[in-house]
Amino acid sequence: MSEYPHLLEPLDLGHTTLPNRVIMGSMHIGLEEAPDGFERMAAFYAERARGGVGLIITGGIAPAPEGATSSGRAAMTTEADADRHRAVTDAVHRAGGRIAMQILHTGRYAFNENAVAPSPIQAPISPFVPHELTDDEIERTIDAYARSAELARRAGYDGVEIMGSEGYLINQFIAPATNKRRDRWGGSYENRVRFPLEVMRRVRARVGDDFIIVYRLSMLDLVPGGSTFDEVVRLAKEIEAAGASIINTGIGWHEARVPTIATSVPRGAYSWVTRKLMGEVGVPLVAVNRINTPEVAERILAEGHADMVSLARPLLADPDFVAKSAAGTPEAINTCIGCNQACLDHTFSGKAASCLVNPRACRETELVLSPTRTRKSVAVVGAGPAGLACSVSAAQRGHTVTLFDAAEEIGGQFDMARRIPGKEEFDETLRYYRVQLSEHGVDVRLGTRVTADDLDGYDEVVIATGVTPRTPEIPGIDHPKAVGYTDVLRGGAEVGATVAIIGAGGIGFDVAEFLTDGGEQASLDPAEFFRQWGVDTGHTTPGGLTDPERPAPRRKVHLIQRKTGKVGAGLGKTTGWIHRVELRHRGVEMIAGADYERIDDDGLHLTVDDEPRVLDVDTVVVCAGQEPRRDLADALTAAGRRPHLIGGADVAAELDAKRAIAQGTELAAAL
Ligand code: FAD
Ligand code: NAP
Ligand code: SF4
């Protein structure tokens, strides 16, 4: 008997049966427009199909050029387009999978001056004012959806998903805030939903009955003036009647200011949204967002919150999520930690997506861990992310690996990251590595500080000794008030009620959150999370928003940088705003353009905008970046050895776990 009977139960759609309840949710992966993109996408999706996912949905493909995310982005408008997609659908079918193409018209979110919308109202996240569609243009746009679906069928897809959420064109028609039309497409509710219903009807008419149509319905807009719950139910019924096979859940427009998928969102927190609709329609409903373990997925299905679950990023992190669940080895799953660092942050920077914990994602054809023909003995020093990734990948290839760390636990700096409230998921990466180290027979020697002499006799030596925190040259830096972030996060240093943090990088922000957190565990408790972010879980308000209720912060914190400009500007593209809003709510004072003068009994002395200022604080926490830890590498080099350097030991500037893990894996692939 499987541990996940609901997750692994087949789903009969009439004309076809899906083998289980897992949909791979749509993600734009940035290969759609790459020169060898179709070959790489074929490998990417086929690997997920082999891993057992029930139905794959591609990244959004525009039905018309003006609806693409930006100029020249992927569209499905001609037979030639359809023929190019054949490589993808054939590869997925050969791997035993099923794949649907998402049709996405961005409307006013298109990042180009040809953007169109029901009304010429600029989105807060776009620099362009959209052109107001004429009646004739609306008719042509609906036909373009139908044509695109027909071409998707020609390309060999098993279905399409019509993207009706996240604030894209369909949402823009439905919401009165973005649709001010006075013709048959605007005004009354009936008029505003005419566009999605016409799209749905014409697509179904064009593709026939034996083709999957998933409709992604915006069930909780999280913007002022969004849909009410009654409107969501009404639309769902009408969409079903118009021919949808499955209704997927959409949560929040892109411009919403409530986190929906970041790591600080509790697992499966939004499944209540789908549950509210259960029983209102006959077609299967799909729950979404932060479903990253088979346990969470199974619970959602078993408790009747949904008929299916959609996992997107978790399948970047581990293509074998379903296969490992079915095999009863969930501990072997490489869990998505919700960081967005290599997926969404890449997409929004115009780069190909990948995954922090799985650098092979979207690089399947290029980063190959093939079995080695020459088995070598490899010593890896440092069990931080770089050393862990290198050890596991080298051992997987057949090398004999010994991994050393001076600490009693694996993880290096990551072991501190996981202690930050809201970053509990980082624990999963360390669990994954522990399982992999054991599975691949790596000889792990913890509590062992290595010197150059200990490394004689190995064929290859990898130095992954990471970083040491930088101590800035500020008079009084050795004053008892001044402590380092490692003392605070790992050493249990006492921190007073008022604090100044020197350095406002990722670690400065994390330390500010750590010190102001009141222990409410908002990232683990959905009710607390929704209370703090102002989400109306009864969905009695249009859009589902209410006033946030924030607890009093535990400490008064000042977060300081020398640079002028916005504090936190270097944080993640898609998550930085969450950290900035969070700290604002907690009353943290952000100070930019500071010159540090000294630390003494009075606190931290600064000059800001040529004005002297004293922060009368109990504690000064230093988060001023890192230096590479190279003593061992230097000793080896001096002894005539040629060690490999990875992670922070190689370059500490702009180091993060994404680079550390990628570099470790790449080196292992080349050993
Ligand atoms: P390290 O993690 O520094 O590991 C080096 C290891 O080498 C250590 O375990 C050390 O004990 C060992 N070692 C050193 N010398 C010896 C020796 N002679 N013998 C034996 N062992 C030795 N990154 C992100 O990408 N995203 C985040 O959200 C994020 N959040 C963070 C939050 C915090 C609070 C902190 C502190 C860091 C965060 N980071 C984050 C950064 C990330 O953890 C580091 O970039 C990453 O750990 C660097 O990996 P590494 O393997 O190069 O080195
Ligand atoms: P960082 O982002 O480089 O920030 C270092 C901070 O210290 C900056 O604010 C810098 O700003 C300041 N600083 C540098 N030299 C200084 C000096 N001599 N005196 C005083 N201040 C100095 O590094 P980090 O915060 O240590 O983070 C390390 C890495 O971990 C980062 O690269 C980051 O990617 C990663 N990380 C990521 C996240 C995430 O959420 N994605 C979270 C945590 C950590 P000024 O020079 O302007 O003062
Ligand atoms: Fe998940 Fe982070 Fe990987 Fe994106 S980069 S898939 S959020 S672990």
Side-chain angles (χ1 to χ4, degrees), residues 372-379 391 394-395 397-402 457-462 644 667-671:
T372 179
R373 287 201 213 115
T374 328
R375 174 180 275 224
K376 294 179 182 174
S377 62
V378 182
S391 301
R397 293 192 55 219
H399 294 303
T400 304
V401 181
T402 310
Y458 290 97
D459 297 326
E460 306 278 359
V461 172
V462 179
H644 304 275
L667 173 63
L671 279 176

Side-chain angles (χ1 to χ4, degrees), residues 230-384:
D230 289 346
E231 288 172 347
V232 169
V233 175
R234 233 170 115 180
L235 181 58
K237 288 178 192 285
E238 287 167 336
I239 285 290
E240 177 179 30
S245 325
I246 293 172
I247 296 181
N248 195 358
T249 305
I251 305 282
W253 292 29
H254 281 310
E255 65 206 65
R257 277 299 168 253
V258 177
T260 53
I261 60 167
T263 189
S264 53
V265 177
R267 290 176 177 177
Y270 284 98
S271 66
W272 64 268
V273 178
T274 317
R275 188 200 56 209
K276 274 177 83 76
L277 202 59
M278 287 289 276
E280 301 281 0
V281 289
V283 290
L285 295 179
V286 189
V288 296
N289 288 27
R290 288 283 288 121
I291 303 171
N292 66 338
T293 68
E295 288 75 20
V296 173
E298 177 66 19
R299 194 184 65 229
I300 286 171
L301 297 171
E303 291 178 357
H305 289 206
D307 303 293
M308 304 184 77
V309 286
S310 170
L311 283 65
R313 299 171 301 165
L315 289 156
L316 276 180
D318 196 331
D320 295 322
F321 182 101
V322 177
K324 288 175 183 174
S325 306
T329 54
E331 69 284 358
I333 292 175
N334 196 358
T335 306
C336 165
I337 58 173
C339 66
N340 283 1
Q341 284 176 241
C343 52
L344 277 180
D345 285 353
H346 278 207
T347 304
F348 282 91
S349 314
K351 292 196 279 189
S354 188
C355 172
L356 180 141
V357 299
N358 172 23
R360 287 196 64 252
C362 302
R363 295 172 66 195
E364 286 76 10
T365 54
E366 143 212 351
L367 183 49
V368 182
L369 296 171
S370 52
T372 179
R373 287 201 213 115
T374 328
R375 174 180 275 224
K376 294 179 182 174
S377 62
V378 182
V380 179
V381 186

